[in-house]
């Protein structure tokens, strides 16, 4: 849908000299139902940017019309921070690593999960190569990036009982924050540290296992847990849609 929509709103020259990138769960190919948008555009340096702002805005509105809500964090083409030339992307990447604020760490995670869906895929490859080159050997950044795994508490009590929500979320558990995110980000942090170019969690887990970070039994358990959590989350969302 995103690739087709971009081909309808962008001029031919912009289509050929840019790369449409889907990020987040879409970029990892782990999204089944429609969720908030996470997308960006890498434009070739020196490309005539006439009409870029208008095309980016039309793309974002078109995605909303197709049922993909606007991203609360504004990670969308209509935001100039996520639509810019390759050189500007490299500047942003450098800034993220030099000043790794909470937002910068989130931006790195979002971008690292990106997958090209239309246009010149080499633009994304070059931007990611730059990211991996800058991260290589930067243990301080990698450690800080990995610490985000503790952003949300695991919903388990002292005796192993599940801790459920209260109020409007009474008797509910946030599976994404309490289970999916720790696996996704833990694997993502290890993959980034080792310069892996895979985007999917399972693909990254497989490469990390080949590198000896996990034995086959551990990898199997992590993969099974991840699949089970995604299944539970999907089931819950389907049930909510039926209400």
């Amino acid at each position: 849908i995103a690739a087709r929509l971009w081909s309808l709103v962008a001029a031919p020259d912009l289509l050929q000299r840019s790369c449409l990138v889907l990020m987040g769960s879409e970029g990892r190919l782990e999204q089944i139902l429609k969720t908030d948008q996470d997308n960006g555009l890498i434009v070739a340096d020196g490309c005539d940017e006439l009409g870029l702002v208008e095309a980016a805005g039309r793309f974002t509105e078109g995605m909303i019309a197709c049922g993909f809500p606007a991203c609360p964090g504004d990670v969308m083409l209509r935001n100039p921070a996520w639509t810019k030339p390759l050189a500007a992307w490299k500047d942003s990447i450098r800034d993220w690593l030099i000043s790794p604020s909470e937002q910068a760490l989130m931006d790195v995670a979002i971008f690292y999960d990106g997958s090209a869906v239309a246009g010149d895929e080499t633009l994304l490859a070059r931007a990611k190569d730059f990211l991996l080159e800058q991260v290589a050997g930067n243990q301080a950044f990698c450690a800080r990036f990995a610490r985000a795994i503790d952003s949300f508490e695991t919903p388990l009590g002292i005796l192993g009982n599940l801790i459920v929500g209260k109020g409007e979320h009474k008797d509910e558990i946030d599976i994404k924050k309490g289970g999916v995110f720790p696996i996704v980000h833990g694997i993502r942090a290890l993959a980034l540290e080792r310069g892996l170019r895979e985007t999917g969690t399972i693909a990254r887990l497989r490469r990390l296992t080949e590198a000896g970070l996990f034995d086959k039994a551990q990898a199997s358990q992590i993969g099974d847990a991840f699949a089970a959590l995604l299944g539970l989350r999907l089931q819950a969302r389907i049930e909510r849609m039926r209400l």
Side-chain angles (χ1 to χ4, degrees):
I1 293 174
R4 177 59 177 159
L5 179 59
W6 182 238
S7 71
L8 293 173
V9 302
D13 182 58
L14 183 58
L15 277 172
Q16 295 177 5
R17 303 197 63 193
S18 66
C19 180
L20 176 64
V21 183
L22 297 187
M23 294 173 277
S25 59
E26 290 178 318
R28 298 193 307 273
L29 300 180
E30 293 167 3
Q31 177 180 314
I32 299 176
L33 300 178
K34 293 177 181 177
T35 59
D36 300 341
Q37 295 184 51
D38 279 307
N39 48 59
L41 189 74
I42 304 175
V43 182
D45 294 331
C47 176
D48 184 357
E49 297 180 35
L50 184 64
L52 173 59
V53 173
E54 180 183 359
R58 291 178 62 194
F59 175 84
T60 297
E61 294 307 315
M63 288 290 284
I64 293 173
C66 288
F68 296 89
C71 172
D74 209 23
V75 182
M76 297 178 290
L77 258 67
R78 71 182 180 191
N79 183 352
W82 294 95
T83 293
K84 52 195 175 188
L86 177 60
W89 274 102
K90 290 182 178 180
D91 289 340
S92 293
I93 291 169
R94 190 180 292 108
D95 291 342
W96 293 339
L97 301 187
I98 292 175
S99 302
S101 63
E102 184 175 336
Q103 183 60 53
L105 294 172
M106 184 182 300
D107 290 344
V108 170
I110 292 170
F111 179 74
Y112 183 47
D113 286 350
S115 292
V117 295
D120 184 358
E121 296 184 6
T122 65
L123 291 170
L124 176 60
R126 290 162 63 188
K128 281 199 175 185
D129 284 346
F130 183 79
L131 169 64
L132 297 178
E133 289 169 4
Q134 297 298 306
V135 169
N138 190 340
Q139 294 301 314
F141 175 82
C142 290
R144 184 156 186 173
F145 185 74
R147 278 201 296 272
I149 199 171
D150 295 324
S151 298
F152 311 107
E153 293 185 5
T154 303
L156 289 175
I158 297 176
L159 300 177
N161 57 304
L162 294 173
I163 300 175
V164 297
K166 299 179 181 179
E168 118 179 69
H169 297 291
K170 186 176 184 297
D171 297 329
E172 295 181 0
I173 297 174
D174 192 326
I175 294 175
K176 179 179 179 180
K177 291 181 179 179
V180 175
F181 176 78
I183 294 176
V184 169
H185 191 68
I187 296 298
R188 175 166 52 210
L190 291 171
L192 178 62
E193 182 181 20
R194 282 153 184 78
L196 303 187
R197 286 169 171 74
E198 285 78 5
T199 55
T201 300
I202 296 300
R204 287 170 174 170
L205 176 60
R206 187 178 301 116
R207 285 290 308 279
L208 292 169
T209 303
E210 292 171 354
L213 270 74
F214 301 103
D215 60 38
K216 291 185 178 180
Q218 287 175 318
S220 179
Q221 291 172 353
I222 294 171
D224 289 346
F226 183 58
L229 289 168
L230 289 182
L232 288 171
R233 187 169 180 238
L234 176 60
Q235 181 180 350
R237 292 189 61 195
I238 291 175
E239 290 297 327
R240 192 175 296 114
M241 291 170 64
R242 289 174 176 167
L243 297 178

